[in-house]
Amino acid sequence: MNKRQQEALRKRLEERRAEIESDMPYMAAEMRSIGVDQDEENGSLGNHIADDGSNVAEAERIVTVSEDLQEILVQVNGALERMTDGKYGTCQRCGNPIGEERLEAFPYVAYCIECQSIIEREQALRAGA
């Protein structure tokens, strides 16, 4: 990967980080508004049980999206750090180069596709145990 390509990816990563960081307060405000709705409806005893179910489902969705955004932010920051350290584009598991197409698609990845597959299989095995 040449310097120009890496700088373009750095710009994309910085833009993605800014986007995520701007989304986080919005997600927190959404969670607070659900809490306010619950308070106005006397806790979990809303006017209708379906309203309570909708609020719970919406809260779960927001928490899931927030957690996903936090995880991507960690990965983006890690990629930017690897760029600074001169380790960007090298698999953190095996040390082989990460394919340019993979980095173009997901500039924040830390593993080559082979190692990522191994890691995901290991995680699935642990989850099943």
Side-chain angles (χ1 to χ4, degrees):
M1 171 171 295
N2 66 40
K3 192 158 184 81
R4 196 178 107 238
Q5 289 171 311
Q6 189 167 334
E7 284 305 313
L9 290 176
R10 177 184 294 278
K11 184 178 181 202
R12 283 181 49 203
L13 287 165
E14 289 170 347
E15 288 170 354
R16 184 69 174 130
R17 177 173 55 190
E19 180 182 311
I20 292 170
E21 288 173 345
S22 71
D23 285 345
M24 297 307 287
Y26 171 76
M27 301 302 274
E30 286 292 309
M31 281 300 286
R32 283 191 301 276
S33 76
I34 290 172
V36 168
D37 289 346
Q38 288 294 318
D39 288 344
E40 289 173 357
E41 295 174 354
N42 298 320
S44 64
L45 302 174
N47 294 332
H48 193 276
I49 195 165
D51 292 336
D52 290 339
S54 294
N55 284 346
V56 169
E58 182 65 9
E60 288 176 359
R61 183 192 67 79
I62 291 169
V63 167
T64 300
V65 170
S66 294
E67 289 172 351
D68 290 346
L69 288 174
Q70 283 287 359
E71 178 60 30
I72 292 171
L73 184 59
V74 166
Q75 292 176 20
V76 166
N77 286 331
L80 289 167
E81 191 174 301
R82 287 189 301 279
M83 281 182 174
T84 301
D85 295 343
K87 298 176 183 177
Y88 184 76
T90 302
C91 179
Q92 299 299 291
R93 185 173 179 274
C94 70
N96 290 328
I98 299 172
E100 285 186 29
E101 290 177 0
R102 180 164 168 75
L103 290 171
E104 282 290 327
F106 304 102
Y108 47 82
V109 296
Y111 305 106
C112 67
I113 195 128
E114 293 82 15
C115 288
Q116 184 68 45
S117 295
I118 292 167
I119 291 167
E120 287 175 6
R121 281 193 301 266
E122 289 172 351
Q123 289 172 341
L125 287 173
R126 278 192 298 260

